Amino acid sequence: MHRRRRTALALSVALLGAGPLLTACGSEAHPGAAAVVGGDRIPVSALQAQVKDVRTAQQASPQAAQLIKNTGQLSRAKLHGLIFDRVLDRAAADAGVSVTRKQLQDARAAMAQQSGGEQAFAAMLLQQRGVAPGQIDDAVREQVQLTALAAATGADLSTPQGQASVTKTLTEASKKLRIDVNPRYGTWDDKAIQLADTKTPWIAQVTKNGPEEEAPVTG
């Protein structure tokens, strides 16, 4: 994979590692919402569906027990991803950035080839990032969009300065969205572009220690 693509993926993984407060789950203000981003609700049911897809894929793997053990706090990690995608969409829109279907198809094909085929690519994403097969297109789109955003803003993702520049752009977009997170999942940090109070070392791949147990998700 091209160095710039690898760096973009590394940045997105780091940003996925893991905000004003949302009232309690099931409250009058935002009943059944895991978070509200730019006035749009992310329903707990949508979050649960993402978690279920990953757990189903993990259970079908020969390494099921280890994959599940290594992906504690999956609900929080998936909520982070849902919020981050919306922040990235806003930042891209503000910068006049768009990606085409062909770009996404080409990028996915290239990544799969570099990974040794589509099956190996899917297995890698499931193991390293907790991405189910049905979520691969979204993961690819995130990387392509992040790379395009960096290019549009003149940031070089191969350098710390470039990565800091993109983070600043994302922070500006995040603040505009006034992100409210249900307290059970933590709070959103605009500057870090992540859910605070959430430990997901399996995403950042900064440690091999087992993460904390995931709390049940209820509306």
Side-chain angles (χ1 to χ4, degrees):
M1 187 180 296
H2 190 279
R3 180 182 177 187
R4 188 174 295 274
R5 286 181 176 175
R6 290 201 306 270
T7 306
L9 179 57
L11 177 59
S12 67
V13 169
L15 288 172
L16 277 171
L21 293 178
L22 178 76
T23 50
C25 184
S27 70
E28 292 182 4
H30 303 293
V36 177
V37 183
D40 294 330
R41 298 167 68 255
I42 297 178
V44 171
S45 59
L47 175 59
Q48 289 175 325
Q50 287 230 342
V51 172
K52 180 180 179 181
D53 286 347
V54 174
R55 290 304 188 208
T56 298
Q58 289 175 332
Q59 289 165 0
S61 169
Q63 295 82 36
Q66 190 63 37
L67 289 176
I68 293 172
K69 178 182 178 181
N70 289 345
T71 51
Q73 297 200 19
L74 182 58
S75 295
R76 292 175 174 85
K78 282 300 173 184
L79 179 59
H80 170 93
L82 290 169
I83 296 172
F84 179 81
D85 285 347
R86 287 159 174 77
V87 173
L88 182 55
D89 283 345
R90 176 59 186 263
D94 289 348
V97 171
S98 62
V99 296
T100 66
R101 179 175 297 182
K102 186 176 188 306
Q103 284 178 293
L104 298 178
Q105 291 173 339
D106 290 347
R108 176 164 179 168
M111 293 176 199
Q113 183 179 20
Q114 290 293 327
S115 299
E118 185 70 29
Q119 186 172 354
F121 181 47
M124 180 272 290
L125 286 177
L126 180 64
Q127 179 180 2
Q128 296 184 6
R129 293 185 58 188
V131 174
Q135 299 165 0
I136 292 177
D137 282 344
D138 288 337
V140 171
R141 179 176 181 272
E142 177 185 285
Q143 181 179 339
V144 173
Q145 196 173 25
L146 188 62
T147 303
L149 176 64
T153 57
D156 183 355
L157 287 175
S158 67
T159 68
Q161 294 85 355
Q163 294 171 19
S165 177
V166 171
T167 299
K168 181 179 179 181
T169 298
L170 292 169
T171 292
E172 292 171 355
S174 181
K175 289 179 178 178
K176 293 175 183 177
L177 292 172
R178 299 181 179 275
I179 298 167
D180 291 350
V181 175
N182 187 306
R184 78 169 61 239
Y185 302 108
T187 58
W188 183 257
D189 186 333
D190 288 319
K191 291 185 178 180
I193 316 299
Q194 68 178 23
L195 275 174
D197 307 322
T198 301
K199 298 179 181 179
T200 52
W202 54 278
I203 282 186
Q205 297 182 4
V206 296
T207 178
K208 293 184 179 179
N209 296 330
E212 297 174 357
E213 290 298 318
E214 175 185 348
V217 180
T218 57

